[in-house]
Amino acid sequence: MSNSIQCPACKQNIDGDSLYCDQCGLQILVCSDCGRPGKGKRCMFDGKELVVPGGTVPSSSATEQISKPASAPQAASPAAPQAASPAPPQTPPPSGDKLRLFSQGLGLTIEASQGDILGRTKGSFTGILGRFSHISGGHCQVLKTNGVWCIMDCGSTNGTFYNGAKLNANVPVPVQNNGRVKLADIEFLVSFDQGDSGTARI
């Protein structure tokens, strides 16, 4: 092989042992038989295979394909959290079948039912309340609305009070266990009773 060869692409003379043309960058391949440089895979003169100078078959000129990493198996999507069921509407705690009013000072217990009138001359408890002149004839009423016990002043002369606050006439006011209901000047402690007879007793 001579000391120089002609690049088959740009036709410039380059060193005979060059692996690439220093003018155009082409990889130099020579005929495995006659040694002449050429392009492609076969010598255009004798059809022999073109090799890198020194006899090595060139690697494929095809673009190397970069192997894609295997797709990782997709994890199962976590189940969408289910919306919590709305809590059932809060209902008042059981307040018993009777509303019990207890006066510790007088030793009086009244067990009233829904709709009972408390008064000096009206209702089921006149035998007990009739002796108290400050209590009106139909002083107040015991009501149970949607499971909640209430006291409603019936336009009494000396007023009905709950925990120290005077009630407006004909406006039911919810009461709670251990609340204080006052008829005129007689105070009662509220408690809820279940399953008793509902009769007033002294």
Side-chain angles (χ1 to χ4, degrees), residues 99-111 125-132 135 181 183 185-191 199-202:
L99 177 68
R100 177 179 290 171
L101 300 174
F102 173 68
S103 172
Q104 185 173 12
L106 297 174
L108 281 178
T109 298
I110 294 175
E111 293 175 348
F125 307 103
T126 56
I128 295 174
L129 301 177
R131 57 187 164 129
F132 301 107
I135 293 179
V181 171
L183 310 185
D185 56 354
I186 301 176
E187 187 172 89
F188 297 88
L189 185 68
V190 175
S191 64
T199 57
R201 61 176 182 264
I202 298 178

Side-chain angles (χ1 to χ4, degrees), residues 87-147:
Q90 292 286 336
T91 55
S95 55
D97 298 329
K98 306 290 180 184
L99 177 68
R100 177 179 290 171
L101 300 174
F102 173 68
S103 172
Q104 185 173 12
L106 297 174
L108 281 178
T109 298
I110 294 175
E111 293 175 348
S113 300
Q114 153 69 6
D116 278 349
I117 298 288
L118 305 183
R120 188 165 43 84
T121 61
K122 294 181 182 179
S124 303
F125 307 103
T126 56
I128 295 174
L129 301 177
R131 57 187 164 129
F132 301 107
S133 59
H134 292 163
I135 293 179
S136 297
H139 196 97
C140 66
Q141 187 174 18
V142 173
L143 300 170
K144 193 174 186 181
T145 305
N146 296 326

Side-chain angles (χ1 to χ4, degrees), residues 170-184:
N170 302 313
V171 178
V173 173
V175 296
Q176 295 182 339
N177 206 32
N178 296 320
R180 291 175 292 111
V181 171
K182 191 174 178 183
L183 310 185

